[in-house]
Amino acid sequence: MTATNGVSKAPGCIPAPNPGQTFWQQDGNIEFSDYRSTETLPEQTDILIIGAGYAGTSTAYHLLAEGTKNSITILEARGVCSGATGRNGGHLRPDLYGHIPTYIERAGLEAAVEIAEFEIAHVPAMKKFIREQGIDCDFNLCRSIDVWCNEQSAQNAKTVYGQMVAHGLSYMEDVVFYTGKEAEGISGVKGAKACASYTAASMSPYKFIIHLTKLILASEQVNLQTHTPAVSILPDPSGGYTVDTSRGKIHADTIIHANNAYVSGLLPEYEKNIIPCKGIACHIAVPDGTKAPLLNNSYINRTEDNTLSYLIGRNDGGIVVGGAAAKFKPFKYQWYNNVDDSILIDAAKDYYNDYMQRTYHGWDNSGAAVRQIWSGVMGYSYDSHPHIGSVPNKPGQYINAGFNGHGMPVIWLSAKGLAKMIAHGAPFEKCGIPRLFQTSQLRIDRAQNGTEGKGDILGTASFGATKQ
């Protein structure tokens, strides 16, 4: 990756051209996969958004909701929602305690609780928006069940739970913790040693983004250009920036980098801050004509060897489950700094065969099998926090990226806050985003120098997990 003569350019960090298809797109009616509002690329736009996934479309929506009169152009290297958002597990699950103890140690209780409460707020906020807009995206309010099948991990989890309760946090009133045989009975997971339960949700991320895309395209201010990767950004002597794409140049006064794992392609200073990392997810179903056992919760399951999976049950009886990072983590070349989501991770591609039979009571004779499996590329940040806000030393450029495989309960309100900054010039502190999410030169330097605050890429805390 290079940055010479003021040019930001790194053509190697762009999405692979032919991603594998996911369950969310199974009906074959992949809307906006090849869509352009105008036949030719606009020569100029007030605001340019790079990326048409959850972060990009949400930011565009909130900019319009904030009343901006500026023109908005969205560039997408492939089709709408073809990246991590359209390839995740559909798990809208806040992290109430997983990484929060680590954040308390790093930055204090108040800053850590900001993150937990921010994520919790996403569930009612998105429920309300989806209801008001009449969005058909399979939204389901549920209990999320954390499960530990390793005795030592279960004991550690109980200790951390006790520590979190001792802080007197009101949101912990929603958490119920079980141990022993009660845990197996409550969770339905074979060999469960402990489990915890709290409010979460599940949904089809793809359906949500497609509907959101229709909403923003109803405005004449928005121009969407798919299959148009941005390859370089150059400051314009007269103001703003000239962005070179695969289909020509466009001038923009403001640029929003919402391309998550690929952000260092145009912001090379983030090369060590946000690393592209692959993961896997799959769809499991029972044979046609048979009925699946009831599974109306969502889950984070940890096996006896501490392999973690995140899982949602769907209204049609199907299952979407992913994770298994412990199985492929040693094979770094297969997933780390790898942007090819057309290829499965070989070390874990067979892990979910017979998963439901191995894991849940009542599924032994269900015939459940993997119907579709896919990979996705997530953006993991060095210190486990997203980077949101004004890009240091680049006036008019903003970032909304680095979600650590945990964007579902973070992006919607982050985009709302970022829109306030851009539309009204509001300071970061007045935009409702956790302070630890603010991008800064200090955070950039820490990653580049390999100093304090390092996150555990594809790792998990002792109590909870930050997976979608």
Side-chain angles (χ1 to χ4, degrees), residues 80-116:
V80 169
C81 202
S82 61
T85 308
R87 317 184 71 78
N88 73 29
H91 204 179
L92 178 54
R93 177 187 182 275
D95 177 13
L96 275 63
Y97 41 61
H99 282 174
I100 303 304
T102 299
Y103 302 155
I104 292 173
E105 291 178 8
R106 289 183 189 171
L109 182 64
E110 185 178 352
V113 171
E114 279 181 359
I115 294 175

Side-chain angles (χ1 to χ4, degrees), residues 141-466:
L141 192 67
C142 62
R143 298 293 287 183
S144 185
I145 312 295
D146 268 331
V147 181
W148 295 265
C149 294
N150 177 280
E151 185 63 50
Q152 185 60 56
S153 295
Q155 292 177 15
N156 293 343
K158 185 177 181 181
T159 298
V160 173
Y161 168 76
Q163 292 170 347
M164 294 300 295
V165 170
H167 285 301
L169 304 172
S170 60
Y171 71 73
M172 288 298 292
E173 292 295 326
D174 187 44
V175 183
V176 186
F177 197 92
Y178 306 92
T179 57
K181 286 294 183 182
E182 196 175 22
E184 191 165 346
I186 292 290
S187 68
V189 172
K190 297 176 180 179
K193 300 296 189 296
C195 73
S197 166
Y198 65 87
T199 303
S202 64
M203 60 189 287
S204 165
Y206 178 77
K207 286 183 179 180
F208 178 77
I209 297 305
I210 292 302
H211 192 103
L212 200 60
T213 301
K214 292 176 181 178
L215 289 178
I216 61 177
L217 287 179
S219 169
E220 294 182 357
Q221 294 170 239
V222 179
N223 187 304
L224 170 63
Q225 298 286 323
T226 65
H227 297 280
T228 309
V231 296
S232 71
I233 299 174
L234 180 67
D236 191 310
S238 61
Y241 297 90
T242 298
V243 179
D244 196 11
T245 80
S246 62
R247 298 173 48 235
K249 300 181 186 300
I250 180 171
H251 181 275
D253 297 319
T254 299
I255 297 174
I256 302 169
H257 298 265
N259 49 344
N260 201 26
Y262 309 97
V263 73
S264 66
L266 294 168
L267 293 174
E269 59 267 47
Y270 286 88
E271 181 177 7
K272 293 184 178 180
N273 280 265
I274 300 175
I275 308 294
C277 298
K278 285 174 62 173
I280 61 167
C282 67
H283 173 242
I284 294 175
V286 299
D288 294 341
T290 63
K291 199 169 186 65
L294 178 64
L295 195 69
N296 57 355
N297 298 308
S298 70
Y299 285 83
I300 296 288
N301 290 327
R302 302 164 190 79
T303 61
E304 191 171 359
D305 68 355
N306 284 319
T307 299
L308 181 147
S309 297
Y310 52 91
L311 178 150
I312 65 168
R314 290 178 42 79
N315 297 337
D316 59 9
I319 305 296
V320 177
V321 56
K327 299 302 180 186
F328 61 78
K329 195 170 183 179
F331 306 93
K332 199 170 181 179
Y333 69 95
Q334 293 187 22
W335 61 272
Y336 182 82
N337 213 9
N338 186 328
V339 298
D340 191 351
D341 52 11
S342 68
I343 299 174
L344 292 174
I345 301 174
D346 188 65
K349 63 181 176 61
D350 299 322
Y351 178 76
Y352 289 108
N353 294 341
D354 301 321
Y355 180 78
M356 298 307 294
Q357 292 88 333
R358 285 185 279 123
T359 306
Y360 287 92
H361 289 293
W363 286 77
D364 299 77
N365 300 312
S366 66
V370 174
R371 298 294 183 89
Q372 195 167 15
I373 184 169
W374 60 91
S375 63
V377 182
M378 300 166 283
Y380 275 80
S381 71
Y382 178 80
D383 59 10
S384 301
H385 302 305
H387 282 265
I388 301 169
S390 179
V391 176
N393 305 312
K394 291 186 175 177
Q397 293 197 45
Y398 297 83
I399 186 170
N400 191 11
F403 298 106
N404 301 286
H406 189 60
M408 292 294 287
V410 172
I411 292 174
W412 181 249
L413 296 180
S414 294
K416 183 177 182 178
L418 184 63
K420 289 181 179 179
M421 292 179 222
I422 296 169
H424 307 303
F428 184 95
E429 296 77 13
K430 300 294 185 181
C431 293
I433 304 172
R435 69 190 77 173
L436 296 178
F437 290 4
Q438 184 174 18
T439 194
S440 67
Q441 191 62 49
L442 177 62
R443 292 180 66 193
I444 291 171
D445 292 344
R446 281 176 176 171
Q448 290 177 339
N449 298 330
T451 54
E452 61 184 287
K454 185 175 182 181
D456 179 15
I457 287 181
L458 287 186
T460 62
S462 60
F463 188 48
T466 55

Side-chain angles (χ1 to χ4, degrees), residues 22-43:
T22 76
F23 163 73
W24 307 115
Q25 305 158 342
Q26 66 173 344
D27 60 6
N29 184 23
I30 306 175
E31 296 186 75
F32 304 112
S33 62
D34 190 10
Y35 179 93
R36 291 169 182 167
S37 298
T38 54
E39 185 175 347
T40 59
L41 185 69
E43 293 182 359

